[in-house]
Amino acid sequence: MRPVRTVARSALAAIFVIQGWDALVNPQRLVKPAQKVADRLQTDPKTLVRVNAAAQVAGGVLLATGRATTPGALLLAGSLVPTTYAGHPFWAVEDPAQRSAQRINFLKNLGLFGGLLFAALDKEGRPGLGWRARHAAHDARRTARVAMMATRARHKVGR
């Protein structure tokens, strides 16, 4: 299953690496849409675009290479929130054709967000933290029970 996961993670990461790199080296085209987010954060929109772009490139590389996939996927999911809000406000567009195009891109980003959540939670077949905690507790109870029975047996023999 490893090759399938590698291909899937790489396919999911590709748009972030490519578009993030483009935004990093050519931030000007995204400054105007980023202005409303920048105003809320009281920061320069060009800097905000570059920081978001750098996060997308870094997260995409982490996800695609299989190194730190959970932090990479979460970083990408976090970067999608301001990108989607600022870049695809279909609710504020009057023209029906443009509204439809913005809604499609908004929903595409929503789908990417869902895929990134799956990628962040993927344990590659290994048990999750909940399963490991339950089994560790079960093993600890069993060990304590065996130790208690051994102690009782020693006391009975010693009498």
Side-chain angles (χ1 to χ4, degrees):
M1 195 69 145
R2 182 98 171 117
V4 173
R5 279 188 171 90
T6 300
V7 169
R9 282 194 306 259
S10 297
L12 184 57
I15 191 169
F16 295 100
V17 174
I18 293 166
Q19 294 300 107
W21 182 258
D22 184 51
L24 196 58
V25 296
N26 302 309
Q28 200 55 43
R29 67 179 177 81
L30 299 171
V31 167
K32 186 177 178 191
Q35 186 67 55
K36 62 182 161 187
V37 175
D39 289 345
R40 285 186 173 200
L41 298 175
Q42 298 178 348
T43 189
D44 173 50
K46 191 173 183 178
T47 301
L48 184 63
V49 167
R50 283 198 164 136
V51 167
N52 196 52
Q56 289 184 346
V57 171
V61 168
L62 290 174
L63 184 62
T65 60
R67 307 277 185 233
T69 56
T70 297
L74 292 174
L75 182 61
L76 291 173
S79 79
L80 265 180
V81 174
T83 299
T84 304
Y85 173 74
H88 306 295
F90 69 90
W91 55 89
V93 178
E94 296 295 323
D95 178 54
Q98 285 184 350
R99 177 184 285 256
S100 177
Q102 290 299 329
R103 185 174 47 242
I104 287 169
N105 282 309
F106 182 92
L107 293 172
K108 173 202 47 111
N109 282 7
L110 189 61
L112 286 170
F113 187 84
L116 290 166
L117 292 181
F118 269 120
L121 296 173
D122 181 30
K123 301 296 177 214
E124 298 187 22
R126 296 182 312 263
L129 184 60
W131 185 91
R132 289 182 294 184
R134 285 190 304 275
H135 280 73
H138 178 264
D139 290 347
R141 284 192 302 269
R142 185 175 46 206
T143 301
R145 196 170 39 247
V146 168
M148 186 175 67
M149 290 175 10
T151 301
R152 286 182 183 166
R154 277 194 305 263
H155 285 325
K156 285 184 180 180
V157 172
R159 286 186 185 173

